[in-house]
Amino acid sequence: MIYPFVLGSALLSVAFAVFLVWRIQKSAAPSPKILEIAGAIKEGAMAFLKREYKTIGITAAIIFVLLWIALGFKVAAGFLFGAFLSALAGFIGMKVSTKANAKVAEASKQTLEKAFNMSFQGGAVTGFFVVGLGLLGVSLFWLLTKDFKALAGLGFGASLISVFARLAGGIYTKAADVGADLVGKVEKGIPEDDPRNPAVIADQVGDNVGDCAGMAADLFETYVVTIAATMILGALLFVGTAAILLPLALSAVSIFSTIIATFFVRLGKKKNIMGAMYKGVAVSAAISALFFIPVISKYAKGMDLSFVKLYIPSIAGLLLAFALFLITDYYTAKKHKPVQKIAKASENGHATNIIAGLAIGMESTFLPVIVVCAVILLSYFLGGIYGLAVSAVSLLSLTGMIIAMDSYGPITDNAAGILEMAGESKEVREAADALDSVGNTTKAVTKSVAIGSAALAALVLFSSYSQEIFNSGHNFLFSLANPKILVGLFLGGLLPYVVASSALRAVGKAGGKVVEEVRRQFKEIAGIMEGTAKPQYGPCVDIVTKAAIKEMILPTVVIIVLPILVGFLLGAEALGGLLIGCIVTGFFVAVSMATGGGAWDNAKKYIEAGNLGGKGSPAHAAAVTGDTVGDPYKDTAGPAINPMIKVVNIIALLIVSLLVK
């Protein structure tokens, strides 16, 4: 039986995460000053999470009741279970990152190698908890219910929490960041993590709630939704259980590959930090490719398909991850031309920096679209729509390693900031600064993979939706001659822009309030700039917490209500148009914002490294402005599109049976 193996793999992932926590706990205890600062960050992060989860809990309870009435108890229970697991994944991501940042700060005083190992292990804890809980949740719930609609409900619960986490966390982190930068860097000319800045603790908290908790919830739901959607699609397309069990088996063996790969993530003689993490991804993919051979050989026979028709798509999924890594690295790393072009444009002023950043963001969509299209065509040509689903599952088999890389960024960012706030010398901070210098790139490349996986997952969900309509006997003709489908396409294409604009506007409003508070404190509290008086960190934390919780409600309501209205008012075909429109424009918006924002950020860091006049130059001032615009692009609006695409598609899958009666 496959179930004991799948459940055992999931539990092994959780056990390995616990082992990594034990290793981190065993490391040297941080100094009292580091613990004090890290404690303030942890306190702010947990206060935000409690308030966020309280709001989410009320919303989830209402949706649970509505789902029970409309679709039955099993679907409602699946929703609640998925929401709980997704929230747990975000909570674990937060706890681990706020614990690891102090440990990494202390390790940075010793050697670069120790600090790197600690930061990567801290990220890996979240990664293994996410894949372990995700696989455990899907397999256990399926084993208990054998209900595909309930499985879709589980995916809906995970996706909804992800939307909340991405929106609220993104608004929080960038409102704090924008407020801290505009007054601290631009007006007062003090460093980014200077303890004199009243918004500095809120900024550090934001790294955790936006990136660690947000990405954990985001990839958790993508992982769960992709496995569940592939199982549903397999049941609709094939007789027997082979197509249902294959995604579970592929995900299970991938856990072993990722665990093995973590032992290969080590700094070599060249101290290449990105290279060390890329090596981990490569090893994980290579071992998975070997493990996939016996698994696909076994289950392809049960579907009467040749081995090649499913194995090649699985390899295409792994290669897609690498292609997205390399493309995003090119557009966001300081050593490449796109970032340097933005930095060069900064010499001519703020406007030219903004123009160059927007242009690079738009340009950065070209290659990702080409490689995604290539994978779609290859997978579909060989294995049909189920082949595409296998590609998506294969891509997400790297989830543990991807989250480890992503969480590495905010952990090292916090560690560097803590050391600066603790008053450590530049020499002591050297290792932490070296780790932090690649953090923007790791976050950018992992966001691109998250976006790519979201697009493939959404296509799998759409395929399940259209296949269910077809199996129902409904005459489903997706023709552009149908005006309802055209309306659906336009409304779906509009949705990402509505969500992105709402997120950006929220950051602007909350960031403005932080600016006012920081200016007030500099004006009214004598001695802050001289270091003889301490700023009040609490008010800024409170401002962004309240703003983030308030501003996440409206876009989430729009995401849920629009597909339901379109489905019941215009019909199943119009809803199909909405899904396609949302996937297409959502992919472009998410990639351009995430990659363009990363390029803006690293253009500033390129100048701060001593190029084009360095810190304090006119080019640097323009680059800070560009970074201030790019931050909400890459950390709020862009990432919020990922779960939005999947929520819309899952809602469609849940209500399709009501539309074709």
Coordinates of all heavy atoms in Angstrom, one line a residue, residues 5 9 12-13 16 120 128 131 223 249-265 279-293 295 318 393-394 396-401:
F5 N 3.6 4.6 3.1 CA 4.8 5.2 2.6 C 4.7 6.8 2.6 O 5.5 7.5 3.0 CB 5.2 4.7 1.3 CG 6.4 5.4 0.6 CD1 7.7 5.2 1.1 CD2 6.2 6.2 -0.5 CE1 8.7 5.9 0.5 CE2 7.3 6.9 -1.1 CZ 8.5 6.7 -0.5
S9 N 6.6 9.4 4.9 CA 7.5 10.5 4.3 C 7.1 11.8 4.9 O 8.0 12.6 5.2 CB 7.3 10.5 2.8 OG 7.7 9.3 2.2
L12 N 8.4 12.0 8.3 CA 9.8 12.1 8.3 C 10.2 13.6 8.1 O 11.2 14.1 8.7 CB 10.4 11.2 7.2 CG 11.9 11.3 7.0 CD1 12.7 10.9 8.2 CD2 12.3 10.6 5.7
S13 N 9.5 14.3 7.2 CA 9.8 15.7 6.9 C 9.6 16.5 8.2 O 10.5 17.4 8.5 CB 8.8 16.2 5.8 OG 9.1 17.5 5.5
F16 N 12.5 15.7 10.6 CA 13.7 16.3 10.2 C 13.7 17.8 10.5 O 14.8 18.4 10.9 CB 14.0 16.1 8.7 CG 15.3 16.5 8.2 CD1 16.5 15.8 8.6 CD2 15.5 17.7 7.5 CE1 17.7 16.2 8.2 CE2 16.8 18.1 7.0 CZ 17.9 17.3 7.4
F120 N 20.7 29.0 6.7 CA 20.1 28.0 5.8 C 19.2 27.0 6.6 O 18.1 26.7 6.2 CB 21.1 27.3 4.9 CG 20.5 26.3 4.0 CD1 19.8 26.7 2.9 CD2 20.6 25.0 4.3 CE1 19.2 25.8 2.0 CE2 20.0 24.0 3.5 CZ 19.3 24.4 2.4
F128 N 10.7 22.2 5.5 CA 10.3 20.8 5.8 C 9.0 20.7 6.6 O 8.2 19.8 6.4 CB 11.4 20.1 6.6 CG 12.6 19.7 5.6 CD1 13.8 20.4 5.7 CD2 12.4 18.7 4.8 CE1 14.8 20.0 4.8 CE2 13.4 18.3 3.9 CZ 14.6 18.9 3.9
V131 N 6.2 21.2 3.7 CA 6.0 20.0 2.8 C 5.4 18.8 3.7 O 4.6 18.1 3.2 CB 7.2 19.6 2.0 CG1 7.6 20.7 1.0 CG2 8.4 19.3 2.9
Y223 N 1.5 24.0 -2.9 CA 1.8 22.6 -2.8 C 0.6 21.7 -2.6 O 0.4 20.7 -3.4 CB 2.8 22.4 -1.6 CG 3.4 21.1 -1.4 CD1 4.4 20.6 -2.2 CD2 3.0 20.3 -0.4 CE1 5.0 19.4 -2.0 CE2 3.5 19.0 -0.1 CZ 4.6 18.6 -0.9 OH 5.1 17.4 -0.7
A249 N 2.7 9.9 -4.5 CA 3.9 9.1 -4.5 C 5.1 10.0 -4.9 O 6.2 10.0 -4.3 CB 3.8 7.9 -5.5
L250 N 4.9 10.9 -5.9 CA 6.0 11.8 -6.4 C 6.4 12.7 -5.3 O 7.6 13.0 -5.1 CB 5.6 12.6 -7.6 CG 5.4 11.8 -8.9 CD1 4.8 12.7 -10.0 CD2 6.7 11.1 -9.4
S251 N 5.4 13.3 -4.6 CA 5.7 14.2 -3.5 C 6.4 13.5 -2.3 O 7.3 14.1 -1.7 CB 4.4 14.8 -3.0 OG 3.7 15.5 -4.0
A252 N 6.0 12.3 -2.1 CA 6.7 11.5 -1.0 C 8.1 11.2 -1.2 O 9.0 11.5 -0.4 CB 5.9 10.2 -0.8
V253 N 8.5 10.8 -2.4 CA 9.9 10.5 -2.7 C 10.7 11.7 -2.8 O 11.9 11.7 -2.4 CB 10.1 9.7 -4.0 CG1 9.4 8.3 -3.9 CG2 9.6 10.4 -5.2
S254 N 10.1 12.9 -3.1 CA 10.8 14.1 -3.2 C 11.3 14.6 -1.8 O 12.3 15.3 -1.7 CB 10.0 15.2 -3.8 OG 9.7 14.9 -5.2
I255 N 10.6 14.2 -0.8 CA 11.0 14.6 0.6 C 12.4 14.0 0.9 O 13.2 14.6 1.5 CB 9.9 14.1 1.6 CG1 8.7 15.1 1.5 CG2 10.5 14.2 3.0 CD1 7.5 14.7 2.4
F256 N 12.5 12.7 0.5 CA 13.8 12.1 0.7 C 14.9 12.8 0.0 O 16.0 13.0 0.5 CB 13.8 10.6 0.3 CG 13.0 9.7 1.2 CD1 11.6 9.5 1.0 CD2 13.5 9.1 2.3 CE1 10.8 8.8 1.8 CE2 12.8 8.3 3.1 CZ 11.4 8.1 2.9
S257 N 14.7 13.2 -1.3 CA 15.7 13.9 -2.1 C 16.1 15.2 -1.5 O 17.3 15.6 -1.5 CB 15.2 14.2 -3.5 OG 14.1 13.6 -3.8
T258 N 15.1 15.9 -0.9 CA 15.4 17.2 -0.3 C 16.2 17.1 0.9 O 17.1 17.9 1.2 CB 14.1 18.0 -0.1 OG1 13.3 18.0 -1.3 CG2 14.3 19.4 0.3
I259 N 15.9 16.1 1.7 CA 16.6 15.9 3.0 C 18.1 15.6 2.6 O 19.0 16.1 3.2 CB 16.0 14.7 3.8 CG1 14.7 15.1 4.4 CG2 17.0 14.3 4.9 CD1 13.9 14.0 5.1
I260 N 18.3 14.7 1.7 CA 19.7 14.4 1.3 C 20.4 15.6 0.8 O 21.5 15.9 1.1 CB 19.7 13.3 0.2 CG1 19.1 12.0 0.7 CG2 21.1 13.0 -0.4 CD1 18.8 10.9 -0.3
A261 N 19.7 16.4 0.0 CA 20.3 17.6 -0.7 C 20.7 18.7 0.4 O 21.7 19.4 0.1 CB 19.3 18.3 -1.6
T262 N 20.1 18.7 1.5 CA 20.5 19.7 2.5 C 21.9 19.5 3.0 O 22.6 20.5 3.4 CB 19.5 19.7 3.8 OG1 19.6 18.4 4.3 CG2 18.1 20.1 3.4
F263 N 22.4 18.3 3.0 CA 23.8 18.0 3.4 C 24.8 18.5 2.4 O 26.0 18.5 2.7 CB 23.9 16.6 3.8 CG 23.1 16.1 4.9 CD1 21.9 15.5 4.7 CD2 23.4 16.4 6.2 CE1 21.1 15.1 5.8 CE2 22.6 16.0 7.3 CZ 21.5 15.3 7.1
F264 N 24.4 18.9 1.2 CA 25.3 19.3 0.1 C 25.4 20.9 0.1 O 26.1 21.4 -0.6 CB 24.8 18.8 -1.2 CG 25.0 17.4 -1.5 CD1 24.1 16.4 -1.0 CD2 26.2 16.9 -2.1 CE1 24.3 15.1 -1.2 CE2 26.4 15.6 -2.3 CZ 25.5 14.6 -1.9
V265 N 24.5 21.5 0.9 CA 24.5 23.0 1.0 C 25.6 23.4 1.9 O 25.4 23.6 3.1 CB 23.1 23.5 1.4 CG1 23.2 25.1 1.4 CG2 22.1 23.0 0.5
K279 N 23.4 24.6 -5.5 CA 23.9 23.3 -5.5 C 22.9 22.4 -4.7 O 22.6 21.2 -5.2 CB 25.3 23.2 -4.8 CG 25.9 21.8 -4.8 CD 27.3 21.8 -4.4 CE 27.5 22.2 -3.0 NZ 29.0 22.1 -2.5
G280 N 22.3 22.9 -3.6 CA 21.3 22.1 -2.9 C 20.1 21.9 -3.8 O 19.5 20.7 -3.8
V281 N 19.6 22.9 -4.6 CA 18.5 22.7 -5.5 C 18.8 21.7 -6.5 O 18.0 20.8 -6.9 CB 18.1 24.1 -6.1 CG1 16.9 23.9 -7.1 CG2 17.7 25.1 -5.0
A282 N 20.0 21.8 -7.1 CA 20.4 20.9 -8.2 C 20.5 19.4 -7.7 O 20.0 18.5 -8.4 CB 21.8 21.3 -8.7
V283 N 21.0 19.2 -6.5 CA 21.1 17.8 -6.0 C 19.7 17.3 -5.7 O 19.4 16.1 -6.0 CB 22.0 17.8 -4.7 CG1 21.9 16.5 -4.0 CG2 23.4 18.1 -5.0
S284 N 18.9 18.1 -5.1 CA 17.5 17.7 -4.9 C 16.8 17.3 -6.1 O 16.1 16.3 -6.2 CB 16.7 18.9 -4.2 OG 15.4 18.5 -3.9
A285 N 16.9 18.1 -7.2 CA 16.3 17.9 -8.5 C 16.8 16.6 -9.1 O 16.1 15.8 -9.6 CB 16.5 19.0 -9.4
A286 N 18.2 16.4 -9.0 CA 18.8 15.2 -9.7 C 18.3 13.9 -9.0 O 18.0 13.0 -9.6 CB 20.3 15.4 -9.6
I287 N 18.3 13.9 -7.6 CA 17.9 12.7 -6.9 C 16.4 12.5 -7.2 O 16.0 11.3 -7.3 CB 18.2 12.9 -5.4 CG1 19.7 13.0 -5.2 CG2 17.7 11.7 -4.7 CD1 20.1 13.3 -3.8
S288 N 15.6 13.5 -7.2 CA 14.2 13.4 -7.5 C 14.0 12.8 -8.9 O 13.1 11.9 -9.0 CB 13.4 14.7 -7.4 OG 13.4 15.2 -6.1
A289 N 14.8 13.2 -9.8 CA 14.6 12.7 -11.2 C 14.9 11.2 -11.2 O 14.3 10.4 -12.0 CB 15.6 13.4 -12.1
L290 N 15.8 10.7 -10.4 CA 16.1 9.3 -10.3 C 15.0 8.5 -9.6 O 14.5 7.5 -10.0 CB 17.4 9.0 -9.5 CG 18.7 9.5 -10.3 CD1 19.9 9.3 -9.3 CD2 18.9 8.7 -11.5
F291 N 14.5 9.1 -8.5 CA 13.4 8.5 -7.7 C 12.1 8.4 -8.5 O 11.3 7.5 -8.3 CB 13.2 9.2 -6.4 CG 14.2 9.0 -5.4 CD1 14.2 9.8 -4.2 CD2 15.1 8.0 -5.5 CE1 15.2 9.6 -3.2 CE2 16.1 7.8 -4.5 CZ 16.1 8.6 -3.4
F292 N 11.9 9.4 -9.4 CA 10.7 9.4 -10.2 C 10.6 8.2 -11.2 O 9.5 7.8 -11.6 CB 10.6 10.7 -11.1 CG 10.3 11.9 -10.3 CD1 10.4 13.2 -10.9 CD2 10.0 11.9 -8.9 CE1 10.1 14.4 -10.1 CE2 9.7 13.0 -8.2 CZ 9.7 14.3 -8.8
I293 N 11.7 7.7 -11.6 CA 11.7 6.6 -12.6 C 10.9 5.4 -12.1 O 10.0 5.0 -12.8 CB 13.2 6.2 -12.9 CG1 13.9 7.3 -13.6 CG2 13.2 4.9 -13.8 CD1 15.4 7.1 -13.9
V295 N 8.7 5.2 -9.7 CA 7.4 5.6 -9.3 C 6.5 5.8 -10.6 O 5.4 5.2 -10.7 CB 7.4 6.9 -8.5 CG1 6.0 7.5 -8.3 CG2 8.1 6.7 -7.2
L318 N 11.0 20.1 -13.3 CA 12.3 20.4 -12.6 C 13.1 21.4 -13.3 O 13.7 22.3 -12.7 CB 13.1 19.1 -12.4 CG 12.4 18.0 -11.5 CD1 13.2 16.7 -11.5 CD2 12.3 18.5 -10.1
V393 N 3.4 19.2 -10.3 CA 3.8 18.4 -9.1 C 5.3 18.3 -9.0 O 5.9 18.4 -7.9 CB 3.1 17.0 -9.1 CG1 3.6 16.2 -8.0 CG2 1.6 17.2 -9.0
S394 N 5.9 18.0 -10.1 CA 7.4 17.9 -10.2 C 8.1 19.2 -9.8 O 9.0 19.2 -9.0 CB 7.8 17.4 -11.6 OG 9.2 17.4 -11.7
L396 N 6.9 21.5 -7.9 CA 6.7 21.7 -6.5 C 7.3 20.7 -5.6 O 7.3 20.8 -4.4 CB 5.2 21.8 -6.2 CG 4.6 23.2 -6.7 CD1 3.1 23.1 -6.9 CD2 5.0 24.3 -5.7
S397 N 7.9 19.7 -6.2 CA 8.7 18.7 -5.4 C 9.9 19.4 -4.7 O 10.5 18.9 -3.8 CB 9.1 17.5 -6.2 OG 10.1 17.9 -7.1
L398 N 10.3 20.6 -5.3 CA 11.4 21.3 -4.7 C 11.0 22.3 -3.7 O 11.8 23.1 -3.2 CB 12.1 22.1 -5.9 CG 12.6 21.2 -7.0 CD1 13.1 22.1 -8.2 CD2 13.8 20.3 -6.6
T399 N 9.7 22.3 -3.2 CA 9.2 23.3 -2.3 C 10.0 23.4 -1.1 O 10.3 24.5 -0.6 CB 7.7 22.9 -1.9 OG1 6.9 23.0 -3.1 CG2 7.2 23.9 -0.9
G400 N 10.5 22.3 -0.4 CA 11.2 22.4 0.8 C 12.5 23.2 0.6 O 12.8 24.1 1.4
M401 N 13.2 23.0 -0.5 CA 14.4 23.7 -0.8 C 14.2 25.2 -1.1 O 14.9 26.1 -0.8 CB 15.2 23.1 -1.9 CG 16.6 23.5 -2.0 SD 17.7 23.1 -0.6 CE 17.8 21.4 -0.7

